[in-house]
Amino acid sequence: MDSGTESGAAPRGAGITVRRALELPGLRGGLPEVLAGDDRLGRTVRWVHAGEVPNIASLLKGGELLLTTGYGLGTRPAEQRAFVRTLAERGIAALVVELGPRFARLPATLVDTARATGLPLVQLHREVAFVTVTEEIHTEIVNGHYALLQRAEEVHRRCTEALLGGGGVPQLLGILADFAANPVFLETADGRLLYAAGAAPEGADPLQVWEGLRGKQRDVPPPAGSVLVDVPGGGPGPGAVRARLVLLPVCGPPAPVHRMAAERAAGIVAVVLMQARQEEELAARGRGDFLNDLAEGRIAAEDAPAQARVLGFRHGEGPLLPVVMRIGDCAAPGAGWAVLAQAVAKELASVGVPVLLGVRPVEGRVPVLAGLRAESERAAVADRVAAALRAGVERAGLPRPGGPPPVVVGAAGGWAAVPAGLRHAAEAATAVRGPADRPWYDARRLDIDLLLWRLRDHPDLAAFVDRALGALLEHDARSRPPLLPTLETYLAHAGRKAETARELHLNRQTLYNRLARIGELLGTELDDPQTVLALSLALRAREQVA
């Protein structure tokens, strides 16, 4: 930040200001009087220098508070004007002149020139010990820097704890965004957005902020006051850059301590990226967050297309197809999701339609949005997307207890219909129980399972299952052969006995005997439509309450 800004305000947390220096005992004892630049006393004092030579400006670097008794100011007005102008051009914080043998009061030339150049000018009416003033201000500056370091180190500590606790880059960026009170973005070295964290003002989505300030103008410098910190490790050599942390001045101007914190966080981000190679996972998490926010109604339908384009989804005017694969716990934290995201992305690249792939480790699912040219493509595209998702799981080498993960396809529609379609597909994927016995499920045909899943903790549902199937389950617990598989196959074939016998590899008489025994145990007729409906519901409910 420029200490010579028009307002003269010092950056937050930057250290001691001219105003604060005048309040310290050393200068306060000299009865300071501000003659010029009283609106710029918020300038930051970087250091203190005392001197009496005419060319003292050449010894300064800017930001100093200059103490003098005036012997180097010159005796002629032209010399005095030149002295003040060179100090102002050098960018010193303030000029403090002690009255005494050289000046009983500062000449009007000095005062007028200071006012014209915007240089704070202070005269001291009593003698002070310059060494005491210097010690006090330097101590204050050092203490201020130490305080900044402590605050930045607190962020470093929290990031380290998150890393040791198994947290990834999203948690690290969230810590930094909370501390900076501004959204934080992680970009690739060439400016592609990987992940966004933090809140934007007035409810704006961070993706909108990034698109407006960075996405459309990567070849121009970021807004004034932005903080850009390189994340090392992108290749051989000490100066290689893997990614870049970006703090944009959206909610307020970042302070120096925020840059310090970002520099410390960048090192930890580099470690995480090198450990797990998380770039694709981060991009997939960012897309997963977008799809989840869209499903939950936190993104308006009219804003969704632009934000999707920021994330790389290029689609025309055709319908959109929501797809959700439920992974569960087979993807371990950290590297498991990184490997999965990379593998699935590679498989989806050959699908032949625009695809927006996300991951949601918290819920254990992979949401996808596919672009169609027409509604008639729904089944064909669903086949290709589902096959690619499962192939990605195979490529990632993830364990699959109970068989392949279920893939659920929602209804196709425009952007206004996508939220409900994504939400329905995600909920239906959660409701699927048992091994996935088909390439993909139509969410609309899982509504009964979804209803039963929502009632899974209700005692009446367990009581219904017990009444309908209890006697049969007790039989199977103590006798062989078990009869429940026979009933399940019979109901799956809608009571067609020939097909049931073929699937179970039974002769018809054996099947008839088993069905008769089931009817006897349950006290009902298996040919009755109401009985078939109740038993079908009970079997599906048993998967939810078991």
Side-chain angles (χ1 to χ4, degrees):
M1 295 264 183
D2 183 5
S3 62
T5 57
E6 187 170 323
S7 66
R12 291 174 292 147
I16 188 171
T17 64
V18 175
R19 180 177 293 104
R20 173 60 182 156
L22 297 177
E23 294 170 350
L24 294 175
L27 285 179
R28 191 175 70 243
L31 302 179
E33 179 185 0
V34 180
L35 301 179
D38 55 350
D39 60 334
R40 304 197 176 202
L41 299 183
R43 286 183 170 182
T44 301
V45 176
R46 186 184 61 81
W47 207 240
V48 181
H49 193 86
E52 305 293 344
V53 294
N55 64 338
I56 196 168
S58 63
L59 305 177
L60 305 178
K61 296 181 178 179
E64 294 91 348
L65 186 143
L66 177 60
L67 300 171
T68 181
T69 59
Y71 283 101
L73 295 176
T75 58
R76 292 179 296 178
E79 294 173 335
Q80 295 168 358
R81 280 193 292 269
F83 185 89
V84 173
R85 287 196 185 107
T86 54
L87 292 179
E89 291 169 358
R90 205 66 172 176
I92 73 166
L95 173 61
V96 178
V97 183
E98 180 185 273
L99 301 179
R102 181 67 182 85
F103 293 114
R105 186 162 187 85
L106 293 186
T109 300
L110 280 174
V111 177
D112 293 342
T113 307
R115 288 173 179 170
T117 57
L119 176 66
L121 175 63
V122 181
Q123 63 180 8
L124 302 178
H125 290 275
R126 291 172 58 179
E127 182 181 346
V128 300
F130 283 1
V131 65
T132 301
V133 172
T134 301
E135 289 176 349
E136 286 182 346
I137 295 179
H138 286 176
T139 299
E140 194 87 359
I141 291 171
V142 171
N143 288 342
H145 282 298
Y146 180 67
L148 293 184
L149 286 171
Q150 284 187 311
R151 293 178 62 197
E153 285 302 321
E154 173 63 16
V155 173
H156 185 269
R157 183 190 63 78
R158 291 175 58 196
C159 288
T160 302
E161 289 179 351
L163 174 64
L164 295 177
V169 171
Q171 291 91 332
L172 303 181
L173 297 188
I175 291 171
L176 183 57
D178 288 344
F179 178 71
N182 269 308
V184 176
F185 305 90
L186 184 67
E187 301 176 358
T188 60
D190 60 359
R192 180 173 60 90
L193 179 65
L194 284 175
Y195 200 80
E202 300 177 358
D205 190 276
L207 291 177
Q208 293 174 304
V209 173
W210 187 85
E211 173 70 358
L213 297 179
R214 292 285 288 162
K216 297 178 180 177
Q217 46 186 0
R218 298 183 201 175
D219 296 332
V220 302
S226 300
V227 173
L228 279 72
V229 176
D230 289 339
V231 177
V241 176
R242 188 187 196 98
R244 183 173 291 110
L245 283 175
V246 181
L247 280 72
L248 296 177
V250 176
C251 302
V257 68
H258 298 143
R259 172 176 288 279
M260 294 168 65
E263 290 169 349
R264 282 155 176 75
I268 300 180
V269 171
V271 171
V272 176
L273 291 177
M274 285 188 288
Q275 283 181 338
R277 304 197 61 82
Q278 281 194 346
E279 288 94 333
E280 178 55 40
E281 182 200 354
L282 282 172
R285 282 199 186 194
R287 296 188 292 265
D289 291 346
F290 163 75
L291 293 174
N292 187 67
D293 288 344
L294 185 61
E296 297 299 326
R298 289 188 286 271
I299 298 175
E302 59 268 23
D303 297 331
Q307 295 188 37
R309 284 194 297 272
V310 171
L311 298 172
F313 186 58
R314 301 290 187 266
H315 177 56
E317 299 297 326
L320 299 161
L321 185 66
V323 181
V324 175
M325 177 172 64
R326 191 187 80 221
I327 293 296
D329 299 329
C330 70
W337 281 98
V339 171
L340 176 65
Q342 294 169 13
V344 172
K346 289 179 181 177
E347 295 293 340
L348 285 174
S350 62
V351 166
V353 297
V355 173
L356 186 66
L357 163 71
V359 297
R360 291 287 296 172
V362 175
E363 296 89 358
R365 62 179 184 240
V366 177
V368 175
L369 195 61
L372 308 179
R373 288 184 293 269
E375 171 73 26
S376 58
E377 289 186 329
R378 180 176 183 267
V381 170
D383 286 340
R384 298 201 297 272
V385 171
L389 289 173
R390 291 188 170 186
V393 174
E394 291 277 359
R395 179 194 285 263
L398 299 180
R400 296 177 299 154
V407 177
V408 177
V409 178
W415 282 106
V418 167
L422 279 170
R423 193 165 55 250
H424 188 197
E427 292 176 342
T430 306
V432 175
R433 288 292 178 266
D437 56 1
R438 63 196 71 179
W440 56 274
Y441 295 84
D442 191 326
R444 296 170 295 189
R445 297 186 179 182
L446 290 172
D447 281 341
I448 292 177
D449 298 273
L450 181 55
L451 176 62
L452 295 173
W453 177 76
R454 289 172 175 166
L455 295 173
R456 65 192 182 280
D457 295 326
H458 199 288
D460 287 349
L461 189 63
F464 165 65
V465 172
D466 185 62
R467 286 195 306 272
L469 300 173
L472 185 61
L473 296 175
E474 289 180 8
H475 169 274
D476 286 1
R478 61 176 185 270
S479 303
R480 291 290 181 271
L483 298 177
L484 185 63
T486 301
L487 177 61
E488 291 174 330
T489 306
Y490 176 72
L491 295 176
H493 288 288
R496 293 187 290 273
K497 295 176 182 176
E499 295 177 16
T500 302
R502 276 197 301 273
E503 181 166 334
L504 293 174
H505 305 291
L506 298 175
N507 62 53
R508 290 200 175 192
Q509 189 57 49
T510 300
L511 175 64
Y512 296 159
N513 291 339
R514 289 190 181 182
L515 293 177
R517 179 57 176 155
I518 291 171
E520 178 184 339
L521 288 169
L522 299 180
T524 188
E525 296 291 335
L526 296 184
D527 293 332
D528 177 56
Q530 293 298 319
T531 298
V532 170
L533 175 61
L535 290 176
S536 297
L537 282 175
L539 286 172
R540 294 169 83 167
R542 180 173 176 267
E543 294 177 352
Q544 305 297 341
V545 301

